[in-house]
Amino acid sequence: MRPHLELRAALRRAIRSWLDARGFLEVETPVLIPAPAPEEFIETLRAGGGFLRPSPELEMKLLLGAGLAKIYQFGSCFRAGEHGRKHREEFTMLEYYEAGADYRQLAELTAGFIRSAARELFGGGRLEYCGTTVDLEAGYEWLTVDEAFRRYAGCSAQEALERDCFDERMVCAVEPQLGRGRLTFLTDYPVERAALARVKADNPAAAERWELYIAGIELANAYSELIDGAEQRRRFQAALDFRAAGGMQPYPAAEEFLAMMDAGLLPPCAGSALGFDRLAMIFAAVDDIGLVRAE
């Protein structure tokens, strides 16, 4: 395990150095939080009088609202019931935000630090993972969700939503094909899957959201962030209603975050959450994140 842990540490140093050199400030926000963002398919873990964070998103957006412009952090996050080769209940997230940027600019930034880390660690911009060569110097694929469904799932994204098979087709038919040969940013999710992303100005049926794939593995989720307080409240309530209908645990309101949103303090920005354990797994060319964690 030692070589894998050494590579993981070197990967973290390389990314940290790249972000620091571009004016990003490393921050550290609380792991124990009073209220998580309600998400339809993610359960958090209770601890004491609060929750172990599923991501540092709300707390980092509070820092953006307080005037910080470019921030990142590596830190432990927690999601109940997740365990497998690519999942743990506790895992390491790299989360980063830039005020004034949009999701396309954040894709450039993300491709940049992954490519730079490969050059530093391996002397070139190629990754070899489970029989797949990914050329990080070859640019990246910018593929809309609808294009991907038509190409790999045999239907449009909207048809899959209407048939209630969107998630199944995504996992079984679409995702395994992505990130083959080069990075793939799967973009412009249907508005029904907007999460906390803003809707595209020129296409109200799609949201400015992408997920990044390497060799069929989803690594990161990013948005041009929603900054409308009323719409944020509406989406949170819709998620809470969905959770209640499915018997999932209730959450208290994230009052400090919602007050910041209502006050219009969150600037136009983009943010991404990247699974650092998965990226380390790919760089180490192993098929279980447990091999790149001290487990």
Side-chain angles (χ1 to χ4, degrees), residues 93 103 134 177 183 204 266:
M93 188 88 85
Y103 74 144
V134 179
Q177 306 302 321
L183 300 180
L266 184 65

PDB file of all heavy atoms in Angstrom, residues 93 103 134 177 183 204 266:
ATOM      1  N   MET A  93     -13.095  14.610  -0.395  1.00  0.00           N
ATOM      2  CA  MET A  93     -13.575  15.471  -1.467  1.00  0.00           C
ATOM      3  C   MET A  93     -12.588  16.611  -1.694  1.00  0.00           C
ATOM      4  O   MET A  93     -12.031  17.158  -0.735  1.00  0.00           O
ATOM      5  CB  MET A  93     -14.934  16.060  -1.098  1.00  0.00           C
ATOM      6  CG  MET A  93     -15.611  16.822  -2.223  1.00  0.00           C
ATOM      7  SD  MET A  93     -16.598  15.716  -3.226  1.00  0.00           S
ATOM      8  CE  MET A  93     -18.137  15.702  -2.261  1.00  0.00           C
ATOM      9  N   TYR A 103     -19.533  27.345 -15.650  1.00  0.00           N
ATOM     10  CA  TYR A 103     -19.182  25.926 -15.638  1.00  0.00           C
ATOM     11  C   TYR A 103     -18.191  25.565 -16.735  1.00  0.00           C
ATOM     12  O   TYR A 103     -17.387  24.657 -16.564  1.00  0.00           O
ATOM     13  CB  TYR A 103     -20.427  25.061 -15.693  1.00  0.00           C
ATOM     14  CG  TYR A 103     -21.180  24.946 -17.007  1.00  0.00           C
ATOM     15  CD1 TYR A 103     -21.778  23.742 -17.370  1.00  0.00           C
ATOM     16  CD2 TYR A 103     -21.337  26.018 -17.879  1.00  0.00           C
ATOM     17  CE1 TYR A 103     -22.495  23.606 -18.552  1.00  0.00           C
ATOM     18  CE2 TYR A 103     -22.050  25.897 -19.053  1.00  0.00           C
ATOM     19  CZ  TYR A 103     -22.620  24.696 -19.392  1.00  0.00           C
ATOM     20  OH  TYR A 103     -23.326  24.575 -20.553  1.00  0.00           O
ATOM     21  N   VAL A 134      -5.858   7.231 -21.529  1.00  0.00           N
ATOM     22  CA  VAL A 134      -6.517   8.534 -21.570  1.00  0.00           C
ATOM     23  C   VAL A 134      -5.439   9.582 -21.818  1.00  0.00           C
ATOM     24  O   VAL A 134      -4.532   9.758 -21.010  1.00  0.00           O
ATOM     25  CB  VAL A 134      -7.265   8.832 -20.259  1.00  0.00           C
ATOM     26  CG1 VAL A 134      -7.920  10.201 -20.325  1.00  0.00           C
ATOM     27  CG2 VAL A 134      -8.296   7.745 -19.983  1.00  0.00           C
ATOM     28  N   GLN A 177     -19.246   4.421 -21.387  1.00  0.00           N
ATOM     29  CA  GLN A 177     -18.663   4.845 -22.653  1.00  0.00           C
ATOM     30  C   GLN A 177     -17.879   6.152 -22.542  1.00  0.00           C
ATOM     31  O   GLN A 177     -17.212   6.549 -23.508  1.00  0.00           O
ATOM     32  CB  GLN A 177     -19.767   5.023 -23.702  1.00  0.00           C
ATOM     33  CG  GLN A 177     -20.651   3.818 -23.893  1.00  0.00           C
ATOM     34  CD  GLN A 177     -19.878   2.582 -24.287  1.00  0.00           C
ATOM     35  OE1 GLN A 177     -18.933   2.662 -25.075  1.00  0.00           O
ATOM     36  NE2 GLN A 177     -20.278   1.434 -23.757  1.00  0.00           N
ATOM     37  N   LEU A 183     -10.585  13.003 -21.631  1.00  0.00           N
ATOM     38  CA  LEU A 183     -11.567  13.396 -20.630  1.00  0.00           C
ATOM     39  C   LEU A 183     -12.907  13.676 -21.298  1.00  0.00           C
ATOM     40  O   LEU A 183     -12.959  14.225 -22.394  1.00  0.00           O
ATOM     41  CB  LEU A 183     -11.121  14.670 -19.909  1.00  0.00           C
ATOM     42  CG  LEU A 183      -9.800  14.654 -19.133  1.00  0.00           C
ATOM     43  CD1 LEU A 183      -9.563  16.023 -18.505  1.00  0.00           C
ATOM     44  CD2 LEU A 183      -9.796  13.577 -18.073  1.00  0.00           C
ATOM     45  N   PRO A 204     -33.976  26.852 -21.622  1.00  0.00           N
ATOM     46  CA  PRO A 204     -34.547  26.651 -20.287  1.00  0.00           C
ATOM     47  C   PRO A 204     -34.824  25.195 -19.944  1.00  0.00           C
ATOM     48  O   PRO A 204     -35.181  24.895 -18.800  1.00  0.00           O
ATOM     49  CB  PRO A 204     -35.845  27.459 -20.345  1.00  0.00           C
ATOM     50  CG  PRO A 204     -36.177  27.581 -21.792  1.00  0.00           C
ATOM     51  CD  PRO A 204     -34.864  27.629 -22.507  1.00  0.00           C
ATOM     52  N   LEU A 266     -24.528  35.887  -2.610  1.00  0.00           N
ATOM     53  CA  LEU A 266     -23.709  34.934  -3.365  1.00  0.00           C
ATOM     54  C   LEU A 266     -23.470  35.497  -4.759  1.00  0.00           C
ATOM     55  O   LEU A 266     -24.416  35.732  -5.508  1.00  0.00           O
ATOM     56  CB  LEU A 266     -24.403  33.572  -3.456  1.00  0.00           C
ATOM     57  CG  LEU A 266     -23.588  32.466  -4.135  1.00  0.00           C
ATOM     58  CD1 LEU A 266     -22.349  32.131  -3.304  1.00  0.00           C
ATOM     59  CD2 LEU A 266     -24.425  31.209  -4.353  1.00  0.00           C
TER      60      LEU A 266
END
